[in-house]
Amino acid sequence: MDNDEPLEPETKDESDSVSAPQSSDETLYCEAEASVAAEKEKPAQESSETDLEIEDTEKFFTTGQKELYLEACKLVGVVPVSYFIRNMEESYVNLNHHGLGPNGTKAIAIALVSNTTVLTLELADNCIMQEGILSLVEMLQENYYLQEINISDNDLGLEGARILSEFLQNNTSSLFSLQLSGNNFKKESAELFCQALSNNYRIKSLDLSHNQFCDKAGEYLGQMLAINVGLQSLDLSWNHLYIRGVVALCNGLRSNVSLKKLDLSMNSFGNEGAAALGEVLRLNSYLTYLDLSSNNITNDGLSKISRALELNESLKVLKNVLVSEQFVKILDGVCAIHPQLDVLYKSVQALSAKKTPFTWTNPVKLIQSYADQNKISILDFFRSLNPSGELMMPVGEFRKAMIQQNKVPINRYQVRELIKKLGEKTGMVDFSFLTMTRS
């Protein structure tokens, strides 16, 4: 495919369209290739400086991005990636599964040092290894525009975690989202990350899913969450936290004041972990999204969570795969108190075949029928739900308004279906499209 097609650095087309610098030494260099004499002249404290430095900074910022990348590829001995050349001036660059390796990653990093357009960079599954991580970290120390980076599935292990944690401890970049899923991180890596994040308030979203964090890692994460005031989204799904790990994590969540989204699915913590989370939900007023799917939670654990929801004012979405009829009944009462809450589940355990609680009249038809009877448009109905009269509403407010209105008889399941039909964009329900069909 075009995205994966390598670009030969010396093809006729490239030589015609790109005038390469006469001397690569005039454009950029790597410290690893510097003379021995020059290396000896460097102060001891500069020994860890970036090897992505440019000898002539004025030429560095005036050299075209494409030319700079091609020169970097020559220096490290790799074939340029045509997709990157075509998209290096876009805000989103997806280089997942491109087989870059450490040298290919280094060439990308050199080109991004002065780049001001790329905001999101995807580098999952590229075997970038320790050398590649070093190059990325050095680039991030110079680039103040990149905001989101995905380096999942690169098997970084402990050494990669050490390099990243050192960067996070002194992070002055614009990076706020970091995806590190599937990198074979264990409890030692968790300790390093948590030490770094205890004082790092810039990272807002962190994905550590599909790693090998155990109960001890849960302790480190709990200690970090107790004092971190920047992290808003944390994905710990598909780990091995088990009961002790989640209980320890909950100890930190009790006092956390910033985390809004937490994914703990596939951690096998059972009813004891659910009970600990129930206690957190009684006290925590910041979490808005919680995923507990596939954790062997039975009626006992679900009961504790549902009782906690009666006191919780902030949670808007709770996900679980399997629930009981008893939980559904309790949930109906909870949603009457907190209509903004949406609980998502795939099936109800031991549901009688005679019962069909998930089959209702299409909510749009109900609203259309009400509008026709009262000689108004559907748009007028939706506009009446919003005190400001605007055509967009936060999902939570829309759900609450629909449940509390008494004009159209509608339940929370129908409201969920209605939200899907109207289209949910970045947490907002938008019914402005109805202006085009208004009679």
Side-chain angles (χ1 to χ4, degrees):
M1 290 179 64
D2 199 26
N3 285 3
D4 297 323
E5 178 186 349
L7 181 68
E8 295 299 334
E10 305 209 0
T11 61
K12 186 177 185 305
D13 290 340
E14 284 302 327
S15 61
D16 290 341
S17 60
V18 179
S19 178
Q22 294 179 350
S23 171
S24 61
D25 293 333
E26 293 179 356
T27 308
L28 76 168
Y29 74 100
C30 296
E31 280 187 4
E33 299 176 7
S35 67
V36 176
E39 193 67 37
K40 288 182 179 179
E41 292 176 1
K42 288 188 176 183
Q45 63 268 26
E46 293 183 1
S47 60
S48 62
E49 278 194 327
T50 174
D51 67 347
L52 305 181
E53 288 183 1
I54 305 303
E55 192 172 61
D56 188 333
T57 56
E58 183 177 351
K59 287 185 178 180
F60 172 67
F61 285 105
T62 56
T63 300
Q65 292 288 303
K66 183 176 180 180
E67 292 87 342
L68 180 62
Y69 175 57
L70 292 174
E71 185 68 19
C73 288
K74 290 180 182 178
L75 284 174
V76 299
V78 296
V79 177
V81 179
S82 59
Y83 170 85
F84 181 59
I85 293 177
R86 293 195 307 272
N87 293 275
M88 62 196 313
E89 295 184 1
E90 301 294 330
S91 61
Y92 174 79
V93 173
N94 187 342
L95 289 170
N96 292 341
H97 322 298
H98 270 71
L100 296 175
N103 287 337
T105 303
K106 185 173 184 177
I108 297 289
I110 291 174
L112 289 176
V113 167
S114 64
N115 185 285
T116 61
T117 58
V118 177
L119 304 180
T120 302
L121 178 63
E122 303 270 3
L123 290 172
D125 185 28
N126 273 294
C127 194
I128 63 180
M129 300 195 291
Q130 179 179 347
E131 295 86 350
I133 282 293
L134 280 169
S135 298
L136 291 174
V137 164
E138 290 164 358
M139 175 269 293
L140 287 169
Q141 291 171 345
E142 303 294 332
N143 182 306
Y144 293 97
Y145 294 88
L146 193 61
Q147 299 175 359
E148 303 175 81
I149 188 168
N150 178 9
I151 44 180
S152 300
D153 302 314
N154 278 290
D155 198 24
L156 301 179
L158 182 58
E159 287 307 308
R162 182 173 288 113
I163 294 169
L164 285 168
S165 62
E166 288 176 359
F167 162 71
L168 291 173
Q169 283 181 326
N170 304 290
N171 179 23
T172 58
S173 71
S174 298
L175 193 69
F176 69 80
S177 178
L178 184 58
Q179 291 178 254
L180 298 172
S181 176
N183 274 303
N184 196 30
F185 294 143
K186 301 180 181 179
K187 62 180 181 181
E188 297 83 2
S189 299
E191 183 177 18
L192 292 171
F193 285 133
C194 292
Q195 288 173 353
L197 291 169
S198 293
N199 297 312
N200 182 305
Y201 306 141
R202 292 178 179 269
I203 299 298
K204 305 298 182 185
S205 178
L206 180 63
D207 182 355
L208 290 169
S209 63
H210 291 268
N211 281 293
Q212 299 184 44
F213 292 154
C214 60
D215 52 1
K216 189 65 177 178
E219 293 183 24
Y220 297 136
L221 290 163
Q223 293 167 8
M224 179 271 292
L225 288 174
I227 57 178
N228 179 283
V229 295
L231 200 60
Q232 297 179 6
S233 175
L234 178 61
D235 189 347
L236 294 171
S237 61
W238 291 87
N239 275 284
H240 311 291
L241 296 179
Y242 301 125
I243 296 172
R244 289 178 56 187
V246 168
V247 170
L249 183 76
C250 288
N251 290 335
L253 279 174
R254 292 171 187 268
S255 55
N256 184 276
V257 296
S258 64
L259 196 67
K260 297 180 179 179
K261 183 176 181 178
L262 178 61
D263 191 341
L264 290 173
S265 58
M266 300 299 296
N267 272 284
S268 301
F269 50 76
N271 291 334
E272 292 184 52
L277 285 163
E279 289 301 313
V280 168
L281 291 175
R282 290 176 180 270
L283 303 172
N284 186 291
S285 58
Y286 298 92
L287 272 178
T288 61
Y289 178 102
L290 181 61
D291 191 342
L292 305 179
S293 303
S294 303
N295 277 298
N296 302 319
I297 302 174
T298 65
N299 285 346
D300 291 339
L302 290 172
S303 176
K304 291 180 172 61
I305 290 175
S306 60
R307 296 302 179 190
L309 292 176
E310 295 178 359
L311 303 174
N312 185 285
E313 298 283 348
S314 63
L315 198 68
K316 291 181 172 58
V317 176
L318 174 66
K319 294 187 71 174
N320 199 25
V321 172
L322 182 64
V323 299
S324 65
E325 289 187 70
Q326 179 185 3
F327 177 80
V328 173
K329 291 178 181 178
I330 296 174
L331 190 59
D332 288 336
V334 172
C335 289
I337 301 173
H338 303 297
Q340 76 280 0
L341 175 65
D342 189 22
V343 180
L344 308 177
Y345 48 86
K346 291 184 178 179
S347 59
V348 179
Q349 190 177 31
L351 184 66
S352 170
K354 295 182 180 180
K355 298 181 179 180
T356 56
F358 302 109
T359 302
W360 297 280
T361 303
N362 185 322
V364 176
K365 291 183 177 179
L366 289 175
I367 296 171
Q368 182 67 67
S369 175
Y370 170 83
D372 292 343
Q373 291 175 12
N374 290 271
K375 298 181 180 180
I376 62 173
S377 68
I378 293 183
L379 178 63
D380 292 329
F381 171 80
F382 285 127
R383 196 193 296 268
S384 69
L385 300 176
N386 194 346
S388 67
E390 296 181 358
L391 301 180
M392 293 183 68
M393 290 180 69
V395 170
E397 292 183 14
F398 179 79
R399 181 179 292 111
K400 183 176 181 178
M402 283 300 304
I403 292 295
Q404 292 182 337
Q405 58 83 31
N406 57 8
K407 299 174 182 177
V408 179
I410 193 169
N411 60 36
R412 57 192 177 89
Y413 304 101
Q414 290 168 304
V415 172
R416 184 187 300 160
E417 184 66 23
L418 186 60
I419 291 173
K420 290 180 181 179
K421 289 181 180 295
L422 289 175
E424 178 185 350
K425 298 180 179 179
T426 62
M428 301 291 288
V429 171
D430 183 359
F431 37 86
S432 60
F433 72 93
L434 292 171
T435 56
M436 296 182 293
T437 61
R438 187 177 184 180
S439 56

